[in-house]
Amino acid sequence: VANWLCKSCHIMSVGFIGAGQLAHALVKGFTAAGVIATHRITASSPDTDLPTVLGLRKMGVNLTTSNKETVNKSDVLFLAVKPHIIPFVLDEIGPDIEDRHLIVSCAAGVTISSIEKKLLQYRSAPKVMRCMTNTPVVVKEGATVYATGTHAEVEDGKLLEQLMASVGFCTEVEEDLIDAVTGLSGSGPAYAFTALDALADGGVKMGLPRRLAVRLGAQALLGAAKMLLESEQHPGQLKDNVCSPGGATIHALHFLESGGFRSLLINAVEASCIRTRELQYLADQERISPAAIKKTTLDKVLQQPGVTVGGVANGNSKSGLSLFNNRGSGLKKKN
Amino acid sequence: MSVGFIGAGQLAHALVKGFTAAGVIATHRITASSPDTDLPTVLGLRKMGVNLTTSNKETVNKSDVLFLAVKPHIIPFVLDEIGPDIEDRHLIVSCAAGVTISSIEKKLLQYRSAPKVMRCMTNTPVVVKEGATVYATGTHAEVEDGKLLEQLMASVGFCTEVEEDLIDAVTGLSGSGPAYAFTALDALADGGVKMGLPRRLAVRLGAQALLGAAKMLLESEQHPGQLKDNVCSPGGATIHALHFLESGGFRSLLINAVEASCIRTRELQYLADQERISPAAIKKTTLDKVLQQPGVTVDHFKLLYL
């Protein structure tokens, strides 16, 4: 493994707080890309039975149940836990953060300023960055954006970009765009998996064996996406190019348009973005909506030092959510 | 081995671009013919170093593998024209949606006793070497002919042999599939722009997300539904978004699209088998050019009023 991930001739170690889907996907991608050796990666999780934990262990990652241990062994520290867990994690690891640490939060809706605010209780200039990536990093075709915090240097941005560019597309953005990116490329793979399931159903309906239908549908989407990425042309122009007069494709497109296909996708991007902003609001309030936490996670959270029952919203689940009774006009469901 | 294209439109252009990028054949060994020398694709082919001609006979004479890359209703006329020039070495590969191997063999049997015919259905992403191609083998084509075609088409994407009766369904799915994707990508970018992203970034992120997801599925043993589950965290942004897709019948629209394309392909096949040309399917200029071909008379146009 060519370990070129270094800063000032110091070979970097990477840590993950959280050993779930995101950590697993990033580690898989990083190691496939050869940017870092697995023995230089540490990940921590309270739950040692998760399939992703087993997967990480198989890859040679150092696993631990101690977040402090991960911090001590890392230079670049990814926060790869659910958004509502972030405040508790920061309180726990705050005292162990050193000057060398670059904290990279991957949590949807958690602002740089909320993280800096927490860490400033422990250090005067915590280096924080925020990124939004997606699961196709696991096959080195991720889509990642990042924003740079108050005390992070240009070289910290470049370091993160080096890491994330090894597993797909990566670019810096202003932080206020990250929620929109979440709605588009963060959630985007789920829209694609849904579409691919349906396309395969269509193929099977018309007589194809399932495996072939899945393969052809995925290949068609992949090829089209690659064409767009490598073309200067508008997607509408590329669409025109494949619609011959009176042909099969334009007949098919009419069904998509009749059903408001485009609108459904716009709705989806918008809904994911708005929900991300909701989660951000909840995180800023340091309240945890009961609806957002599985009971087991809540129990584990309550076991963390420094967390009391007073820190959890009781009773009416809508407390703190009055801003969100009026959803955006674009989200009225079709009747 | 030399390759020829009857027709120098989108399909020929995309295939040549892919073949040359993959390095499976040099452009000077490729010939393409077209009556219209001003098409952008013709100019593109010439730029790539392909031999261009207005004579289909010349293409036939210079080729071993001959792709028929014209619109389905033109196929019968092309076959009548080139039939006498087909030799034993020729492998005829029809890319025309809805045109059956038996209809092509029937035409060519007037000229040769054992014409080697194959039928394939591909798609435009061959141009970036990520095409999806299936092919079916005709009565007189050998196993090695299939392997040769598969070698060519596998250089520009996925390629597998199928029974001919599946090809219409493949047309509906991966033949037309890129158009569904371009439509989706346009809409996803609109969504991103609505929520504040600059257009270029929105297009880039949407395309990258679709590409990555498709690649994940191709490289995974898991069901697409499982992959979808894996990215939907409880109460999170993604599952909220998915609810909108489901509420609007997103899946159903895509099934409708695949079905509609497949059915239209079968309609076109029916029309071709009848050797009738529906007025709706021909642009007027193409009809005029067809009428100018030697051997074609007005009797060929028993217009069917559907």
Side-chain angles (χ1 to χ4, degrees):
Chain A
V1 169
N3 201 336
W4 49 263
L5 187 71
C6 72
K7 187 177 165 188
S8 307
C9 298
H10 165 65
I11 297 191
M12 307 298 285
S13 295
V14 170
F16 290 87
I17 305 290
Q21 296 282 348
L22 179 60
H24 184 259
L26 282 173
V27 171
K28 212 165 170 195
F30 290 157
T31 49
V35 294
I36 184 167
T38 46
H39 68 266
R40 302 205 74 87
I41 304 176
T42 309
S44 48
S45 166
D47 184 345
T48 50
D49 286 334
L50 287 175
T52 49
V53 169
L54 303 172
L56 285 165
R57 188 173 287 129
K58 260 198 219 170
M59 286 192 270
V61 168
N62 306 306
L63 266 301
T64 171
T65 50
S66 161
N67 288 337
K68 288 177 183 300
E69 185 181 335
T70 298
V71 175
N72 292 336
K73 288 183 170 171
S74 307
D75 306 303
V76 179
L77 187 67
F78 284 94
L79 305 181
V81 291
K82 303 281 195 299
H84 54 272
I85 304 290
I86 293 280
F88 304 105
V89 164
L90 294 174
D91 275 331
E92 183 193 349
I93 67 173
D96 297 288
I97 302 297
E98 313 255 333
D99 283 343
R100 73 176 191 278
H101 282 110
L102 176 60
I103 315 288
V104 182
S105 166
C106 305
V110 178
T111 59
I112 289 175
S113 77
S114 71
I115 298 171
E116 286 179 344
K117 192 169 139 195
K118 274 266 174 209
L119 292 179
L120 282 166
Q121 302 169 41
Y122 306 99
R123 292 206 81 68
S124 57
K127 293 194 294 185
V128 177
M129 307 196 67
R130 176 182 176 187
C131 87
M132 167 50 53
T133 184
N134 65 2
T135 45
V137 291
V138 73
V139 292
K140 296 187 292 166
E141 288 290 357
T144 306
V145 301
Y146 68 94
T148 310
T150 318
H151 310 286
E153 315 273 343
V154 167
E155 61 205 27
D156 297 317
K158 291 304 159 200
L159 181 66
L160 179 63
E161 195 166 319
Q162 245 184 341
L163 258 176
M164 301 310 296
S166 74
V167 292
F169 171 70
C170 180
T171 192
E172 184 174 7
V173 295
E174 294 300 319
E175 191 180 7
D176 61 348
L177 296 187
I178 289 187
D179 297 333
V181 172
T182 306
L184 177 52
S185 54
S187 296
Y191 316 155
F193 296 137
T194 308
L196 288 165
D197 203 4
L199 284 169
D201 280 346
V204 170
K205 177 175 180 179
M206 306 319 292
L208 301 180
R210 173 68 57 173
R211 274 184 74 95
L212 179 62
V214 172
R215 186 76 200 257
L216 290 173
Q219 186 64 37
L221 282 210
L222 189 151
K226 192 172 181 198
M227 277 180 76
L228 182 55
L229 286 170
E230 296 189 10
S231 167
E232 291 301 315
Q233 292 185 307
H234 190 285
Q237 180 64 57
L238 293 174
K239 179 267 289 174
D240 289 357
N241 291 350
V242 302
C243 290
S244 49
T249 304
I250 194 71
H251 275 69
L253 278 192
H254 189 186
F255 276 94
L256 294 184
E257 302 291 0
S258 297
F261 180 75
R262 294 173 185 259
S263 183
L264 297 181
L265 287 163
I266 298 176
N267 290 347
V269 173
E270 181 178 51
S272 171
C273 178
I274 285 176
R275 178 59 178 171
T276 299
R277 292 173 184 163
E278 275 183 12
L279 292 171
Q280 179 174 315
Y281 175 79
L282 293 171
D284 285 347
Q285 301 293 312
E286 283 183 44
R287 282 180 199 161
I288 300 153
S289 135
I293 303 183
K294 288 184 303 181
K295 190 163 193 320
T296 53
T297 311
L298 182 57
D299 288 344
K300 289 203 165 69
V301 167
L302 286 173
Q303 287 161 24
Q304 301 292 332
V307 175
T308 66
V309 177
V312 177
N314 290 317
N316 185 355
S317 66
K318 288 202 187 299
S319 63
L321 296 180
S322 60
L323 283 183
F324 301 94
N325 287 336
N326 276 336
R327 294 212 166 196
S329 60
L331 295 186
K332 289 196 171 46
K333 295 181 188 172
K334 267 202 264 191
N335 291 319
Chain B
M1 194 207 29
S2 296
V3 169
F5 290 87
I6 305 290
Q10 296 281 350
L11 179 61
H13 184 258
L15 281 173
V16 170
K17 210 164 173 199
F19 290 158
T20 49
V24 292
I25 184 166
T27 46
H28 66 268
R29 301 204 72 86
I30 304 176
T31 309
S33 49
S34 166
D36 184 345
T37 50
D38 286 335
L39 288 173
T41 48
V42 169
L43 302 171
L45 285 164
R46 188 173 288 127
K47 258 197 217 170
M48 285 192 270
V50 167
N51 307 306
L52 266 300
T53 171
T54 51
S55 161
N56 289 336
K57 287 174 185 300
E58 185 181 335
T59 299
V60 174
N61 292 336
K62 287 182 170 170
S63 309
D64 306 305
V65 178
L66 187 67
F67 284 93
L68 305 182
V70 291
K71 303 279 194 300
H73 52 272
I74 305 291
I75 294 280
F77 305 105
V78 164
L79 293 174
D80 274 332
E81 184 193 349
I82 66 173
D85 298 288
I86 302 296
E87 313 257 333
D88 283 343
R89 75 177 188 280
H90 282 110
L91 175 60
I92 316 287
V93 181
S94 166
C95 306
V99 178
T100 59
I101 290 174
S102 76
S103 71
I104 298 172
E105 286 178 343
K106 191 170 139 195
K107 275 266 175 209
L108 292 179
L109 282 166
Q110 305 170 37
Y111 306 100
R112 292 207 80 71
S113 56
K116 294 193 295 184
V117 176
M118 307 195 69
R119 176 181 174 188
C120 87
M121 166 50 50
T122 183
N123 66 0
T124 47
V126 289
V127 73
V128 292
K129 295 187 291 164
E130 288 290 358
T133 307
V134 301
Y135 68 94
T137 311
T139 320
H140 310 284
E142 314 275 343
V143 167
E144 62 211 25
D145 296 317
K147 290 305 159 200
L148 180 65
L149 180 63
E150 194 166 322
Q151 243 183 341
L152 260 176
M153 301 310 297
S155 76
V156 291
F158 172 71
C159 180
T160 191
E161 185 175 7
V162 295
E163 294 299 319
E164 190 181 8
D165 60 348
L166 296 187
I167 291 188
D168 296 334
V170 172
T171 306
L173 176 53
S174 55
S176 297
Y180 317 154
F182 296 137
T183 306
L185 289 165
D186 203 4
L188 285 169
D190 280 345
V193 170
K194 177 173 181 179
M195 306 319 291
L197 300 180
R199 173 68 57 172
R200 274 184 74 95
L201 179 62
V203 172
R204 186 76 200 258
L205 290 172
Q208 186 64 37
L210 282 210
L211 189 150
K215 191 173 182 197
M216 276 180 77
L217 181 56
L218 286 170
E219 296 190 8
S220 168
E221 291 300 314
Q222 293 185 308
H223 191 285
Q226 179 64 55
L227 293 174
K228 179 265 290 173
D229 288 358
N230 291 350
V231 302
C232 290
S233 48
T238 304
I239 194 69
H240 276 69
L242 278 192
H243 190 186
F244 277 95
L245 294 184
E246 301 291 1
S247 297
F250 181 76
R251 295 172 184 259
S252 184
L253 297 183
L254 287 163
I255 298 175
N256 290 349
V258 173
E259 180 179 53
S261 171
C262 178
I263 286 176
R264 178 60 177 169
T265 299
R266 291 173 184 163
E267 274 184 14
L268 293 171
Q269 179 176 314
Y270 173 79
L271 293 172
D273 283 347
Q274 303 291 313
E275 281 182 46
R276 282 174 197 167
I277 299 152
S278 135
I282 302 182
K283 288 182 305 184
K284 190 162 191 322
T285 53
T286 310
L287 182 56
D288 289 345
K289 287 201 167 72
V290 167
L291 284 171
Q292 288 160 22
Q293 300 294 329
V296 175
T297 68
V298 179
D299 285 343
H300 283 88
F301 298 95
K302 294 189 175 63
L303 299 179
L304 179 69
Y305 295 96
L306 297 172

